[in-house]
Amino acid sequence: MQTEKIIRQIRILFWAILSAMAVMLLIALFIVQNIGPVIEWTITQKENFKSVILILALGGVPASYFFHSKKIKHLNTELPFEEKLKQFKNSFFIKIVTLEALSILGLIGYMLTADNTFLYVFALLFIAYLINRPTRNNIISEIEPEETD
């Protein structure tokens, strides 16, 4: 069945990106522990860089959720379920890749500065990512909420 195949693709995508994020975290921890910060920063440079990453994270998370929810709300009700599911997959992909990219920025900031604040940014984004774990019921209720009430 096509529906199950698309749901499986969504899950595989989610877990593959999650695994990649975990591996990148381990690499960042290893690099900072063995080498230290990649660049020596002045306090002003470090704080400015930290501010940029925090602003991107604080703006990117709601933006990813907003884009996804707006896209899902405007699905044509006349479309067959499988077509809605394909559009959901595209929107969901953009949402989780946005969260992943922002979390990687946090890890890059950590590797460049060895400042634990960037690990906290990564942790928050990682949790936001985990909250979006796709289950069959969650996906269906998001696409057709009136049928699950």
Side-chain angles (χ1 to χ4, degrees), residues 8-103:
R8 189 173 59 247
Q9 289 172 346
I10 292 169
R11 287 182 185 154
I12 289 170
L13 179 69
F14 176 86
W15 291 109
I17 292 173
L18 181 72
S19 300
M21 288 169 57
V23 167
M24 288 183 248
L25 172 63
L26 294 174
I27 291 169
L29 291 171
F30 178 79
I31 288 172
V32 170
Q33 185 178 33
N34 290 315
I35 298 173
V38 176
I39 301 172
E40 291 299 322
W41 300 70
T42 66
I43 299 224
T44 304
Q45 290 172 325
K46 191 175 179 181
E47 293 304 314
N48 287 341
F49 184 62
K50 193 185 304 182
S51 297
V52 169
I53 298 296
L54 288 171
I55 289 169
L56 285 172
L58 290 173
V61 172
S64 68
Y65 279 87
F66 177 75
F67 172 80
H68 178 68
S69 65
K70 190 161 185 85
K71 181 80 172 163
I72 297 305
K73 282 180 186 174
H74 293 329
L75 285 176
N76 185 350
T77 55
E78 303 295 317
L79 289 175
F81 182 77
E82 288 182 2
E83 187 58 37
K84 290 180 189 177
L85 191 57
K86 288 177 185 176
Q87 290 184 18
F88 173 88
K89 181 175 91 171
N90 293 338
S91 175
F92 183 77
F93 177 72
I94 292 169
K95 178 179 164 182
I96 62 172
V97 167
T98 301
L99 294 173
E100 182 256 351
L102 292 169
S103 68

Side-chain angles (χ1 to χ4, degrees), residues 6 47 49 62 66 83 85 89 97 104 108-110 113 124 135-136 145:
I6 296 170
E47 293 304 314
F49 184 62
F66 177 75
E83 187 58 37
L85 191 57
K89 181 175 91 171
V97 167
I104 299 307
I108 291 170
Y110 176 66
T113 65
L124 289 172
T135 63
R136 187 179 203 294

Side-chain angles (χ1 to χ4, degrees), residues 131-148:
I131 289 171
N132 290 287
R133 185 175 64 88
T135 63
R136 187 179 203 294
N137 291 336
N138 290 350
I139 293 168
I140 292 171
S141 67
E142 240 185 291
I143 294 172
E144 295 182 343
E146 67 278 351
E147 291 183 11
T148 59

